[in-house]
Amino acid sequence: MSRRRRGIMSEQFKDELAKDLGFYNTVQQEGWGGIKAKDAGNMVKRAIQLAEQQLANQTPRR
């Protein structure tokens, strides 16, 4: 039985990351399957960085 995992990142957020990282043209031309594994990894790293920054800004300091 095949399970399809629902993505955590929205399509809009993924598009923004791809634009920032410089491979959005590849996504437009070939879809997400056309990007390199390195680009996918960089996209995840950047998403984690942004999430950590957002959490740091929301956490009250004592």
Side-chain angles (χ1 to χ4, degrees):
M1 172 163 64
S2 167
R3 284 193 235 179
R4 184 169 176 97
R5 295 178 67 181
R6 191 174 68 119
I8 294 174
M9 288 190 269
S10 70
E11 288 298 316
Q12 180 182 0
F13 185 55
K14 290 192 301 187
D15 289 347
E16 289 175 21
L17 289 173
K19 288 174 187 175
D20 289 344
L21 296 171
F23 57 87
Y24 185 68
N25 287 338
T26 302
V27 173
Q28 285 185 309
Q29 293 173 0
E30 301 176 32
W32 288 104
I35 67 171
K36 298 175 185 175
K38 182 178 180 179
D39 290 334
N42 287 337
M43 190 170 78
V44 172
K45 285 180 191 177
R46 183 67 179 137
I48 291 169
Q49 288 174 342
L50 292 172
E52 287 175 342
Q53 288 173 359
Q54 188 175 22
L55 285 173
N57 291 336
Q58 291 179 355
T59 305
R61 300 195 187 235
R62 297 178 194 208

